[in-house]
Amino acid sequence: MTKRQAGVQGARKRASKVSAAPPVEQVPRGGSRRAAGAPRQADFVVVGGGSAGVAAAIRAASHGASVALVERDAIGGTCVHRGCVPKKLLSYGANWAAVLSGCLSHTGGREDWSDAIVRVNAEVARLAVVYQERLQQAGVRMIRGEARLSGPDTVAIGAQAIRARRILVATGSRPRPLPVPGGELAATSDDVFGWQSLPASLAVIGGGYIAVEQASILSRYGVKVDMLVREDRLLENFDRDLSTALAEALAAKGVRLHFNAEVALLDEANGAIEVCYRQGGAARTHSLRVQAALAAVGRDPHWRDLGLEALGVQQDEEGGIRVDRNFRSDARTVYAIGDVIDGLHLTPTAIAQGRWLADRLFGRRGERADFDLVPTAVFCDPAIGTVGMSEAQAIADAGKPERIATRVKRFVSLENRFAGSTQASLVKLVYNARSGRILGAHLLDNAAPEIVQSFALALRLGARMSHLQTTVQLHPTVAEELFG
């Protein structure tokens, strides 16, 4: 056993020890213990131990509320176990793989996938321990099992029940199945993190965040990747110049892009998968023969098995739980946040919702986060960072194209020049043509996610182009391209 593998095993043992610790029994606020067989009492029951649920539970407990959190799987949810964290770790590994294969091309040096998975598992196990310790330290009672609401104030977990003044549903989302014959042959993004080896070739079906990130990561580990994109471009909700530049960069790295591709059938034969699709509305069917297929066609809110319909909870147009501005559902004691409701399905958004709701229900009314200016990143290569309006959104909001101006700069960073690469980076600013107020910033460069976080604050404070022009830049950096 290697030192790294021993570290992973040790982390998992620590995680098991924490999860096996007996839950803290809370004494009801009346001062006496519950009678035998009577439902437990709580101020707040949170169903779901992902980013949203954990944030709400810890914040509510900090206000003195008695809190129980019910989770059927691992604490930390999709972000920790099957999303943000392992994805970004694999992206780091993919960068090393690309560097090693370039610098050591004469020896065939390459970061190994199995080694990367060991590293990912070690970090995920460490974070699982951290999450559980934080909940225990906050006094949150953790209960393992399947939750179901048996009434507007009661959560049943197997044979036991908890009565609560308020109930929060934060059960997140799950990958959407590919809705075509043979769709079950396609893996999902959840499956990728369990792969012990990689296919030689892969068809990625989809063109959004997850599809782009997985295609970029896996291609850097040496997988031959074809992307079948239903739309006419990648990342259709992003600025078009950004989408175009990303497509060019991925194509230059060997990812084959098929736009306007409608997948019709998946079939398995002789150990390979044949993906049949039509392109551009034509009747002719094309096919790809690959070792594996990955469906990244979206995620669905996960709440249908909780018994909420019987309480009068309604769904929104996107299939999530319908809530008001204060995250309250049609059942007045039941609230919902995170990926299970409509909105930006991002970890920081879910955490902000959970903390604000807990403040509102059990403490002072906290200041609501600004959900209109949320920075976001796509961890592909090159990476994307964006905040604010795209050019098309700004024009639609202004009503006339002449009211909106843009500044677009393309350049090759010093990092790429040193590596002998001509891959171009992109910076695009969208602003009001008259006032100069910046409405959106869009970057394509591996430094973009770090830059755009700070730029989100500048937009919130009303930064104008004149402010950039009179601010002394830090040289040599990618960020200075925003100012010149």
Side-chain angles (χ1 to χ4, degrees):
M1 180 183 294
T2 66
K3 288 184 178 180
R4 189 175 296 113
Q5 290 170 329
V8 174
Q9 191 175 59
R12 286 174 176 162
K13 287 181 179 178
R14 291 193 296 274
S16 299
K17 184 177 179 181
V18 171
S19 62
V24 179
E25 285 287 338
Q26 300 286 352
V27 179
R29 292 196 168 188
S32 60
R33 290 189 177 273
R34 62 189 176 92
R40 296 179 178 182
Q41 304 292 319
D43 295 315
F44 198 37
V45 174
V46 178
V47 181
S51 301
V54 168
I58 291 176
R59 182 61 63 90
S62 74
H63 291 306
S66 60
V67 182
L69 184 146
V70 186
E71 173 56 57
R72 65 178 184 176
D73 197 358
I75 298 295
T78 296
C79 178
V80 170
H81 298 276
R82 297 174 295 278
C84 314
V85 172
K87 167 201 69 182
K88 191 168 184 186
L89 290 171
L90 285 179
S91 183
Y92 284 137
N95 283 339
W96 296 339
V99 170
L100 286 171
S101 64
C103 295
L104 304 177
S105 56
H106 60 289
T107 64
R110 180 174 288 278
E111 175 78 354
D112 184 68
W113 172 264
S114 60
D115 180 70
I117 288 296
V118 169
R119 297 170 190 256
V120 168
N121 289 339
E123 179 60 14
V124 167
R126 185 192 72 81
L127 287 174
V129 174
V130 170
Y131 269 64
Q132 292 175 80
E133 287 178 341
R134 286 178 60 205
L135 287 163
Q136 288 181 354
Q137 291 166 2
V140 176
R141 185 168 66 244
M142 288 180 287
I143 303 171
R144 298 285 183 178
E146 296 273 358
R148 185 175 178 83
L149 276 66
S150 56
D153 62 352
T154 305
V155 177
I157 310 99
Q160 67 173 304
I162 302 178
R163 296 192 65 184
R165 294 166 55 198
R166 299 179 180 95
I167 298 169
L168 175 63
V169 177
T171 46
S173 61
R174 53 188 173 186
R176 182 176 301 152
L178 186 63
V180 301
E184 69 279 0
L185 296 173
T188 70
S189 57
D190 285 2
D191 299 322
V192 171
F193 303 112
W195 287 354
Q196 296 305 307
S197 61
L198 291 176
S201 56
L202 176 73
V204 176
I205 303 166
Y209 273 84
I210 296 173
V212 165
E213 289 177 336
Q214 294 292 359
S216 176
I217 289 171
L218 295 170
S219 68
R220 281 177 280 161
Y221 278 105
V223 180
K224 179 183 176 183
V225 177
D226 284 80
M227 291 190 73
L228 300 171
V229 185
R230 188 175 187 177
E231 293 76 24
D232 64 351
R233 63 186 179 108
L234 299 172
L235 302 172
E236 65 171 338
N237 293 323
F238 283 58
D239 189 272
R240 183 170 285 274
D241 282 342
L242 207 59
S243 299
T244 301
L246 174 63
E248 292 171 353
L250 290 178
K253 293 177 182 295
V255 177
R256 297 203 305 174
L257 300 169
H258 309 266
F259 294 112
N260 300 305
E262 187 76 33
V263 174
L265 171 72
L266 270 65
D267 194 18
E268 187 175 27
N270 300 322
I273 294 177
E274 187 170 10
V275 182
C276 300
Y277 65 98
R278 297 183 183 89
Q279 203 160 15
R284 181 189 172 193
T285 299
H286 304 268
S287 66
L288 278 174
R289 193 172 178 82
V290 290
Q291 284 195 356
L294 172 64
V297 292
R299 297 179 66 88
D300 293 323
H302 182 38
W303 61 279
R304 293 293 182 180
D305 54 354
L306 297 178
L308 296 177
E309 293 95 334
L311 303 179
V313 171
Q314 301 293 313
Q315 73 174 36
D316 58 32
E317 293 180 357
E318 301 299 322
I321 295 175
R322 186 173 72 186
V323 294
D324 63 16
R325 188 176 183 275
N326 297 320
F327 305 113
R328 177 182 270 177
S329 75
D330 294 290
R332 308 312 289 169
T333 56
V334 178
Y335 297 77
I337 58 174
D339 286 6
V340 81
I341 65 173
D342 188 23
L344 288 172
H345 293 167
L346 301 171
T347 296
T349 305
I351 291 172
Q353 291 171 349
R355 289 173 177 168
W356 179 84
L357 178 62
D359 284 343
R360 185 178 184 278
L361 295 180
F362 300 104
R364 58 179 179 79
R365 294 198 175 189
E367 187 175 355
R368 193 180 184 92
D370 183 356
F371 295 119
D372 292 327
L373 274 174
V374 178
T376 188
V378 184
F379 292 99
C380 46
D381 180 30
I384 282 175
T386 183
V387 64
M389 295 182 183
S390 67
E391 181 179 358
Q393 290 168 339
I395 290 172
D397 185 70
K400 295 181 179 180
E402 59 268 23
R403 293 177 179 173
I404 300 300
T406 64
R407 173 180 290 173
V408 180
K409 296 192 71 175
R410 292 178 174 83
F411 59 96
V412 179
S413 67
L414 286 179
E415 179 183 5
N416 283 334
R417 290 193 182 279
F418 180 82
S421 170
T422 58
Q423 176 182 288
S425 299
L426 171 74
V427 168
K428 179 175 182 177
L429 297 177
V430 179
Y431 59 97
N432 183 293
R434 182 173 181 179
S435 68
R437 180 166 181 169
I438 302 169
L439 305 173
H442 312 282
L443 296 85
L444 180 77
D445 184 272
N446 283 335
E450 303 295 341
I451 296 171
V452 84
Q453 174 65 73
S454 299
F455 217 76
L457 178 60
L459 264 66
R460 285 197 69 200
L461 296 177
R464 301 175 186 272
M465 293 298 290
S466 60
H467 295 144
L468 294 187
Q469 292 161 352
T470 55
T471 298
V472 178
Q473 304 98 322
L474 178 62
H475 178 77
T477 62
V478 170
E480 70 179 305
E481 302 294 338
L482 286 161
F483 295 78

